[in-house]
């Protein structure tokens, strides 16, 4: 599982699942680029945790929905490290509402961050990965992509789109030793899910065979596996990390 010397870019690494992924990859000896949108202090906290494992952390503010900002970020990474081995497309937002009340701007915001953001980042890292003839791209989808969810048609569409994107890239770049996989978390306790009422949480919990809600580390473990050498023959796959909720 050792990722010694590898460079990983984790989008949305200031908080939640992204922070846990950054820390887990650092624990495995990867240098980590901590991307964030607005939470500079939280991103610095993630970076401090990363550096605690004796590896380098580079904090970069960039909105993944903006191709130019993403290109500038990847340029900086290449200037600093000269390589990008692992990309984790984790940055994501929700703008929930039933469809009749869903504003076009909420549809667009979710698409532009969750789906187009992954397109921007993957496009920007492919050149160095193709040159190196190796790479790992891991897209954070959701079980909502597989099962749908009332009030989340924008989010489900974006996350399902990510799965099609994952499989297509896996086919395009498999011959260049670049693997592309997705992780689909179930309910994970982060800021994104903090607003759920206790009643909704109890209802969700009753659908989880493993009898507990997920934590970011559950997702990070799957990402770390896919990022490692031992997952070298796995591509185009979706690992569901949901305690059995969506089967
Ligand atoms: P979170 O706690 O809300 O954190 C979201 C992260 O994404 C933050 O670091 C945020 O940066 C970053 N971000 C948001 N918009 C961005 C943008 N335009 N450009 C760059 N970074 C941006 O969310 P989370 O629960 O950890 O979720 C992480 C991923 O897992 C998301 O893709 C989410 O859809 C997915 N997921 C989560 C769950 C769950 O139950 N929590 C389940 C399934 C899938 P700032 O801090 O700077 O705002």
């Amino acid at each position: 599982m050792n990722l010694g010397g590898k460079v990983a870019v984790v989008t949305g690494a200031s908080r939640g699942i992204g922070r846990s992924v950054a820390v887990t990859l650092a624990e495995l000896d990867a240098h980590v680029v901590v991307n964030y949108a607005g939470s500079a202090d939280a991103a610095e906290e993630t970076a401090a945790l990363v550096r605690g494992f004796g590896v380098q952390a580079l904090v970069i503010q960039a909105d993944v929905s903006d191709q130019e900002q993403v290109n500038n970020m990847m340029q900086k990474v290449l200037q600093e490290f000269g390589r990008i081995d692992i990309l984790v497309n984790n940055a994501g937002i929700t703008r929930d509402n039933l469809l009749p009340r869903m504003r076009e701007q909420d549809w667009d915001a979710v698409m532009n961050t969750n789906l187009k953001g992954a397109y921007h980042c993957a496009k920007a890292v492919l050149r160095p990965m193709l040159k190196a003839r190796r790479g790992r791209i891991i897209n954070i989808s959701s079980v909502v992509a597989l099962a749908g969810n009332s009030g989340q048609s924008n989010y489900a569409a974006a996350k399902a789109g990510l799965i099609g994107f994952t499989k297509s890239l896996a086919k395009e770049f498999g011959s260049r030793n670049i693997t592309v996989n997705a992780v689909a978390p179930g309910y994970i306790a982060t800021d994104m899910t903090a607003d759920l009422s206790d009643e909704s949480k109890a209802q969700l919990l009753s659908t989880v065979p493993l009898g507990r809600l997920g934590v970011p580390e559950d997702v990070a473990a799957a990402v770390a596996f896919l990022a490692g050498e031992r997952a070298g023959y796995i591509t185009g796959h979706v690992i569901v990390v949901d305690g059995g909720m969506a089967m």
Side-chain angles (χ1 to χ4, degrees):
M1 289 285 276
N2 191 278
L3 299 173
K6 299 273 190 296
V7 174
V9 175
V10 184
T11 68
S14 47
R15 299 183 276 125
I17 292 169
R19 172 181 284 185
S20 185
V21 168
V23 170
T24 302
L25 297 181
E27 201 176 347
L28 295 169
D29 269 350
H31 304 301
V32 182
V33 177
V34 176
N35 160 258
Y36 70 101
S39 310
D41 291 348
E44 288 299 340
E45 278 172 33
T46 302
L49 294 169
V50 165
R51 292 184 189 114
F53 291 100
V55 294
Q56 294 179 58
L58 180 63
V59 177
I60 305 183
Q61 191 278 334
D63 178 349
V64 296
S65 69
D66 183 317
Q67 180 82 75
E68 202 180 327
Q69 291 188 35
V70 168
N71 288 346
N72 290 341
M73 168 167 71
M74 299 308 179
Q75 268 312 110
K76 270 189 211 160
V77 179
L78 289 171
Q79 276 162 15
E80 180 76 16
F81 295 109
R83 57 194 290 169
I84 299 173
D85 302 285
I86 300 159
L87 167 66
V88 184
N89 280 314
N90 166 79
I93 57 168
T94 51
R95 296 281 185 275
D96 298 352
N97 225 327
L98 297 174
L99 192 62
R101 282 190 237 130
M102 186 176 288
R103 298 172 306 170
E104 191 175 351
Q105 66 207 67
D106 292 333
W107 177 272
D108 288 344
V110 167
M111 285 294 162
N112 289 341
T113 301
N114 298 22
L115 183 55
K116 205 171 181 189
Y119 153 76
H120 289 150
C121 292
K123 202 169 174 195
V125 301
L126 268 165
R127 193 167 295 166
M129 284 185 179
L130 284 168
K131 243 177 155 178
R133 295 189 79 84
R134 75 169 314 284
R136 294 276 194 273
I137 298 176
I138 299 149
N139 298 317
I140 307 299
S141 177
S142 167
V143 286
V144 164
L146 309 171
N149 198 21
S150 173
Q152 289 199 306
S153 58
N154 51 356
Y155 184 77
K159 292 299 190 184
L162 263 184
I163 291 177
F165 182 64
T166 298
K167 294 184 179 192
S168 301
L169 291 193
K171 287 188 175 177
E172 281 183 36
F173 300 106
S175 64
R176 307 298 186 88
N177 194 29
I178 296 169
T179 69
V180 189
N181 291 288
V183 173
Y187 178 99
I188 310 295
T190 67
D191 292 347
M192 187 174 273
T193 48
D195 287 346
L196 276 182
S197 66
D198 287 347
E199 196 187 344
S200 306
K201 280 184 194 165
Q203 156 61 22
L204 267 169
L205 190 56
S206 71
T207 67
V208 179
L210 283 179
R212 68 171 175 88
L213 300 178
V215 291
E217 291 72 20
D218 293 319
V219 182
V223 173
F225 167 66
L226 289 171
E229 288 304 315
R230 290 182 181 184
Y233 200 54
I234 300 173
T235 196
H237 195 71
V238 183
I239 297 187
V240 177
V241 181
D242 70 344
M245 187 173 83
M247 67 182 161

